[in-house]
Structure formats: C-alpha cells, structure tokens
Amino acid sequence: MKRTFVGLLLAVYIGGLAQLVKAQTKDNLKGEISLSGAFALYPMVVKWAEEFKKIHPNVRIDISGGGAGKGMTDALAKVVDLGMVSRDVHDVEFKKGAVAFAVVKDAVVPTVNAANPLIRDIKAKGLKRNVALSLWSGKCKTWGNVLGTTSKVPVHVYTRSDACGAAETWAAWFGKRQEDLEGTAVFGDPGVASAVQKDKVGIGFNNIAYAYDQKTRRPYAGLAIIPLDVNGNGKIDPEENFYDNSLSLIKAIVSGKYPSPPARNLFLVSNGVPKKPEVIEFIKYILTEGQKYANATGYIGLSKTTINQELAKLKK
C-alpha cells in the first residue's frame, strides 16, 4: 500500500512537471523588442524584461540608455520599437506620431556628497525653490550663499550634458528648462552621481534609482539627499523629513508630500500604436503583472485608473 501511494505521488509530480514544461514550450510568442532612452527608466525596464522573458523565452529584448532625448528621437525615427522618456511629451512630438504610454512614476532628488563639511546644516535647512534657482543659475558660489551663512566653503554645481527628463523635470520645479541650467555638465544619471560622490562640495540631482541602493533602500555610499524645504520656512519640519530610505520617499510621493515636479510619470513612446505582437504583449505585461515590481525596484506603480487609460491606447 505504501509503495502504491508513493508511486501515485510520483506519477502526479511527474505529470504536473510534464504539463508545466509543455505549457512553457507551447508559448509561441517570438520576435524582438528594442528600447533606448532615459536612464531614469533603464533599471525598471531591465527588471520587466527579465520577468517577461521568463514567460516568453523566445522574445529577444535589447535595451540601451542614452537619455530621454535619444529615446524620443529613436522612437520617432523607428530606430527602436519603444523610446524610454522621463518627461512629458511635447505637442510637436505628438504631431510627429508619438504615442506615449505612462508605465511608472519616479522623482528627481537633489544629491550632495555625504562627507560635505556642512552636511548637518544642509540637511537641517534643506533646499528652497528659490535657492535651487540661484544654484543652477550660477549665482551661488559658496555653501554660505546656499545656507544663508558666512561660510566660504565653495559649492560645485553639476547638471546633465545629455538631453534628459531628469534635468527637464528638475528645472521645472523652479520654473526653468534644461537648457537654462548652469554648472558642470556630466553625461547620464550615473555620471552625475559619480561626480558628486567624488566632490565633497558638489551638488547635483538624480533619479531615485541612482540616488538610492535598491538592496539597502539607503542612499548610495558617498551620497546624501538634500530634503526639499517645500513650505519655505528655512528649516526641514518633521513632515518634510522622509529621505532616509527610498520606501519613505516613495510613500511621500504617493501622498503628495513630495512635489510634482520633481516627481513625474515615466513613459514608453512608440511611433504610432504598436503593431508587433511582442511589443503589444510587453506593454500589456508592464501595465498589469509588471506593476508589482515597481516599489521593489525603487519606483511608484500607477493607479488602476491610469493603467486602464494606458491600456486603452493599445486598442486605438
């Protein structure tokens, strides 16, 4: 009896395994998907691609960075299937055929070197909107100018050299455009983070995924986040202090405590409504099952209303 029962269990197990293998080999979705663009979206899209390929192993997905400007240009020129864009799409781009799918939400944060000699004062006072404007307009030359003190410690300002959503979104917070930003221009999100990590008196801005370590949820080694003084009272109040880890920052973004901009939606853009089955399925996956990976990767998932709106674009 015992042997028969064990044999039955083994048969069930083998049968189930065979069905699983058969189900996997039945997947007939094939093809290639190419994406380029925003560094802000790159880590999230890589995660989505990894998970999507577990379901559809016969689909090849190529992903490259280069900035939101490159993503939009490549998508409109049909060099890639989808451009990763970390800013709002402009009217002129819609007229050229751009179809934008909001896929996740993110934010840009101001970053400084964690070993800055004035780091305690910086975190206590935070960054006002008008001070940020002065910094990226080249008017602040010292940390004393930033903090309203007599400190002569110089401040080195970094910005982006590539056309990107992070710079556009950061500049929008204080009423400017990326082309208005002054400072030492560095290529890419990783480039700005690295520059600030190497410069004790540096200040820059980064997307969450490049400011916070995804594993520890804490700022990357050598980086510190400057809290935004949203109410402009010259100090960081308890309700404005949510930067210790990415989860508390994400919660603040969802609740609206962190302003938008610098929080914003991130997009995948195509030239016209996608026709390739593999591209359509990838977008559907991102807007459904893929949303569960957002928080774990350092992003904010979309609301059900927004998801339904974006899915409807595939049917047009």
Side-chain angles (χ1 to χ4, degrees):
M1 180 66 72
K2 183 177 180 181
R3 184 176 300 173
T4 303
F5 179 70
V6 171
L8 180 61
L9 284 178
L10 184 60
V12 171
Y13 172 77
I14 293 174
L17 186 61
Q19 286 184 348
L20 177 61
V21 172
K22 188 176 181 181
Q24 289 178 335
T25 56
K26 266 189 172 181
D27 178 68
N28 56 7
L29 187 66
K30 299 179 181 180
E32 297 183 5
I33 304 171
S34 56
L35 304 97
S36 72
F39 288 99
L41 250 181
Y42 185 87
M44 186 73 259
V45 172
V46 167
K47 177 62 177 177
W48 282 329
E50 289 173 351
E51 299 301 326
F52 184 77
K53 282 179 65 63
K54 291 178 183 178
I55 306 170
H56 304 291
N58 297 317
V59 176
R60 178 180 173 181
I61 304 177
D62 293 318
I63 310 165
S64 63
K70 176 175 172 53
M72 179 61 75
T73 299
D74 287 352
L76 291 179
K78 296 186 178 181
V79 174
V80 297
D81 296 303
L82 298 169
M84 301 181 289
V85 178
S86 52
R87 58 162 173 78
D88 289 337
V89 179
H90 303 147
D91 287 342
V92 65
E93 293 163 342
F94 282 124
K95 290 178 181 178
K96 291 180 179 179
V99 176
F101 299 89
V103 289
V104 78
K105 196 168 185 177
D106 188 22
V108 182
V109 294
T111 49
V112 292
N113 188 290
N116 187 299
L118 300 170
I119 192 64
R120 288 187 179 181
D121 291 338
I122 292 170
K123 287 188 173 183
K125 289 203 171 186
L127 186 65
K128 291 182 180 180
R129 191 192 305 259
N130 66 321
V131 175
L133 173 59
S134 295
L135 274 165
W136 276 273
S137 296
K139 296 176 182 177
C140 286
K141 303 298 182 182
T142 68
W143 277 102
N145 296 151
V146 177
L147 299 170
T149 67
T150 59
S151 173
K152 301 299 181 184
V153 175
V155 59
H156 298 160
V157 180
Y158 293 93
T159 185
R160 291 277 291 273
S161 61
D162 52 309
C164 66
E168 189 73 15
T169 301
W170 180 242
W173 180 52
F174 43 86
K176 294 294 182 179
R177 299 287 303 273
Q178 177 177 357
E179 53 265 33
D180 301 321
L181 300 182
E182 302 208 11
T184 301
V186 182
F187 181 81
D189 234 322
V192 173
S194 178
V196 173
Q197 285 171 318
K198 295 174 182 176
D199 188 346
K200 285 189 177 181
V201 296
I203 181 172
F205 51 84
N206 287 98
N207 293 294
I208 294 175
Y210 294 89
Y212 290 87
D213 188 314
Q214 292 179 27
K215 294 181 179 178
T216 66
R217 310 289 189 184
R218 302 285 179 179
Y220 278 108
L223 283 183
I225 315 302
I226 309 179
L228 297 189
D229 181 9
V230 178
N231 63 18
N233 67 352
K235 63 179 182 179
I236 296 301
D237 299 314
E239 62 270 21
E240 295 174 312
N241 191 9
F242 38 73
Y243 299 86
D244 284 345
N245 61 75
S246 58
L247 291 180
S248 59
L249 174 57
I250 287 170
K251 183 183 279 189
I253 294 169
V254 172
S255 68
K257 289 183 179 180
Y258 192 83
S260 181
R264 85 292 201 197
N265 285 334
L266 305 179
F267 301 89
L268 290 180
V269 177
S270 61
N271 187 331
V273 177
K275 302 297 183 185
K276 292 169 63 174
E278 61 270 32
V279 175
I280 294 171
E281 289 304 313
F282 187 48
I283 294 173
K284 285 182 179 179
Y285 173 81
I286 287 170
L287 290 170
T288 53
E289 188 73 11
Q291 289 293 299
K292 70 182 181 183
Y293 299 108
N295 281 11
T297 316
Y299 297 80
I300 302 97
L302 302 176
S303 68
K304 289 183 178 180
T305 299
T306 300
I307 288 171
N308 289 335
Q309 290 173 346
E310 301 310 302
L311 285 171
K313 295 177 182 178
L314 289 170
K315 300 175 183 178
K316 292 181 179 180

